[in-house]
Amino acid sequence: MTPGAAPEGGAVARTLSSLSVRNYRLYFWGYSVSVAGTWMQTLALAFLVLHLTGSGTALGAATAARYLPLVLLGPFGGLVADRYDKRRLLYLTQSASALVALLFALLTALGAASVGMVVVLSLALGLLTAFDNPARQSLIGELVPRDRLANAVTLNSVSVNLARVLGAAAGGAIIAAVGLTSCFLLNAVSFLAVLGSLAMMRESELYPVARPPRERGQVRAGLRYARRTPALLVPLVMLTVTGTLAYEFPITLPLVARGAFHGGAGTYGVMAAVMAVGAVTGGLVTAARGNRRRAGTLAISAVGWGAAILAAALAPSLPWELLALLFVGYGSIRFNSLSKTALQLAAEPAMRGRVMALWTLAWGGTTVIGGPLVGWAAQQFGSRWSLVVGGVPTVLLGLAMLPALRRIDRAADTRQDPPVTTHLPPAAAPLPTATDLRTPH
């Protein structure tokens, strides 16, 4: 199949259509390996902090430290992603993240880890993420034609959750068998996969976008653009609320595993893996649909996701908890994919990096507030309350935002999409100049 051609075949071909594009296929598999390593490290960090302190509040604070730089630098990171070569930027951020993982491994191997060092290194990871995430998310729009963008975004979410299945299950087993250090080492090695995939991409098959010229006030311009565009503003508001209160599973699941079900790393690994199985299922179902999605579906998905979180909070036993987590995973990836796709499609290509930086800030940066909050709720009222404080607002948010999203749908029905002039097919893409060379292969 040639790049940009319409996908042929049945449901499976539609679901996996973006993987027929070589550059995106490399991206998909490279990041799948890397994210599996990242989930091993996330699990290891959670249990390292719990081992050092035994405090849910400390776990929330340590997790929040990783996201603090997103709050301070997220929009600037998006501007950098719009201005500069995204692959070159990712070479730097991914290599530096591998070095941080090696430092974690060294500290745990020597028995020198402390909460202070965890916070410092988590801040370093957050600084890298502030630049890595906008570049990584907006790069997808340069790997596939526009008619496959929604599919590519959703498959990217599927890859994250497939990696979560492997990373969480393997991480729990590795911690139980040989300790925390191996998780950090394996994460460091996993970055080689994404670095290799970036190097193997064919520049001639990219779909480049026009880079904005250097001007004053470009970060503020991105914020104004999002604020004045309802199709961007409403999903970002929903992401901010749910990112703060609902999507704190690296904190809530270890607390529930330990507090409600008296388990450890193995119990958490099973819970995270089951949730990820639900997420993969939801992602494949969502990926089978094309770009033609109604904005109102985002509100409905929020209601369903919030109800599933509440069911997990009330589950009387571990088997019932695992059943509820299947639906939590399904709802999580559906809500995330729908919102992320809405932002990618509504944003002008030259603004996509800044818009996706706001997505990163709303979805992850809000952990600075939400992490300590859900950790405090669990410590004060019981571990199950860390889920309740996310489930209730998510349900109410979906109900409250449904009218606004339906207005966006009606507005979209009254106009036709403008022709895309900055997202050129490879054959029409301008040749790089001497000052615009990509990273050599």
Side-chain angles (χ1 to χ4, degrees):
M1 182 183 296
T2 59
E8 300 176 357
V12 173
R14 289 194 304 272
T15 301
L16 304 178
S17 63
S18 296
L19 292 178
S20 65
V21 181
R22 181 181 184 275
N23 283 344
Y24 179 76
R25 188 166 60 248
L26 288 168
Y27 173 97
F28 179 92
W29 292 115
Y31 270 100
S32 294
V33 173
S34 179
V35 171
T38 298
W39 275 99
M40 288 186 193
Q41 177 166 287
T42 299
L43 174 64
L45 280 174
F47 280 91
L48 175 61
V49 173
L50 289 176
H51 171 72
L52 293 172
T53 67
S55 168
T57 302
L59 176 57
T63 304
R66 179 176 177 181
Y67 295 98
L68 179 61
L70 297 182
V71 176
L72 302 176
L73 298 173
F76 179 71
L79 176 59
V80 171
D82 282 334
R83 276 186 182 171
Y84 298 102
D85 185 291
K86 296 177 180 62
R87 287 190 299 156
R88 184 172 298 169
L89 181 60
L90 289 171
Y91 278 126
L92 295 175
T93 57
Q94 293 288 303
S95 298
S97 296
L99 291 177
V100 173
L102 286 174
L103 286 174
F104 272 124
L106 181 62
L107 288 172
T108 54
L110 296 176
S114 66
V115 175
M117 289 303 302
V118 170
V119 169
V120 169
L121 291 178
S122 294
L123 284 169
L125 282 176
L127 178 64
L128 294 169
T129 302
F131 295 91
D132 181 271
N133 236 340
R136 179 161 48 88
Q137 296 293 338
S138 57
L139 178 63
I140 297 174
E142 299 186 21
L143 300 179
V144 297
R146 183 177 173 84
D147 65 338
R148 297 193 196 175
L149 181 58
N151 179 266
V153 168
T154 302
L155 285 182
N156 181 59
S157 296
V158 171
S159 76
V160 169
N161 285 280
L162 279 169
R164 184 188 299 175
V165 172
L166 299 174
I174 289 170
I175 291 172
V178 294
L180 299 171
T181 301
S182 297
C183 287
F184 295 120
L185 283 174
L186 288 172
N187 182 43
V189 173
S190 73
F191 286 102
L192 294 176
V194 69
L195 292 172
S197 72
L198 291 170
M200 293 170 64
M201 289 180 183
R202 294 172 181 165
E203 186 173 351
S204 63
E205 296 178 8
L206 293 175
Y207 294 77
V209 300
R211 298 179 189 172
R214 183 184 298 272
E215 297 174 351
R216 292 177 60 87
Q218 287 179 302
V219 171
R220 293 192 301 274
L223 295 172
R224 286 196 300 271
Y225 174 65
R227 187 178 69 248
R228 296 172 180 175
T229 308
L232 298 175
L233 180 60
V234 175
L236 283 171
V237 169
M238 298 181 72
L239 283 163
T240 300
V241 175
T242 55
T244 302
L245 299 173
Y247 205 79
E248 301 293 352
F249 299 114
I251 299 171
T252 59
L253 291 190
L255 291 173
V256 171
R258 184 172 179 174
F261 301 111
H262 311 291
T267 303
Y268 168 81
V270 172
M271 292 169 65
V274 168
M275 180 176 157
V277 169
V280 169
T281 303
L284 293 175
V285 170
T286 305
R289 305 168 188 238
N291 287 351
R292 303 177 67 85
R293 298 174 186 170
R294 309 293 289 174
T297 307
L298 183 61
I300 297 170
S301 70
V303 173
W305 181 35
I309 294 173
L310 290 175
L314 299 173
S317 63
L318 184 58
W320 283 106
E321 178 74 11
L322 296 178
L323 178 62
L325 287 175
L326 278 173
F327 291 94
V328 171
Y330 184 100
S332 170
I333 195 173
R334 183 158 177 79
F335 178 84
N336 189 7
S337 297
L338 288 172
S339 58
K340 190 159 45 174
T341 299
L343 296 176
Q344 291 262 24
L345 291 175
E348 294 178 7
M351 285 283 191
R352 195 172 284 145
R354 278 164 283 183
V355 169
M356 296 316 295
L358 293 176
W359 171 83
T360 300
L361 178 60
W363 195 243
T366 48
T367 294
V368 172
I369 299 172
L373 180 60
V374 299
W376 174 84
Q379 188 162 312
Q380 294 297 315
F381 308 109
S383 60
R384 295 178 185 273
W385 278 90
S386 64
L387 293 171
V388 172
V389 297
V392 171
T394 301
V395 172
L396 296 177
L397 183 70
L399 295 174
M401 289 297 184
L402 183 57
L405 289 167
R406 283 180 172 170
R407 285 195 295 272
I408 292 172
D409 281 331
R410 288 194 294 270
D413 290 339
T414 61
R415 68 176 184 272
Q416 293 181 342
D417 289 335
V420 179
T421 57
T422 57
H423 199 282
L424 303 175
L431 293 174
T433 65
T435 59
D436 189 32
L437 294 176
R438 307 291 187 186
T439 303
H441 302 319

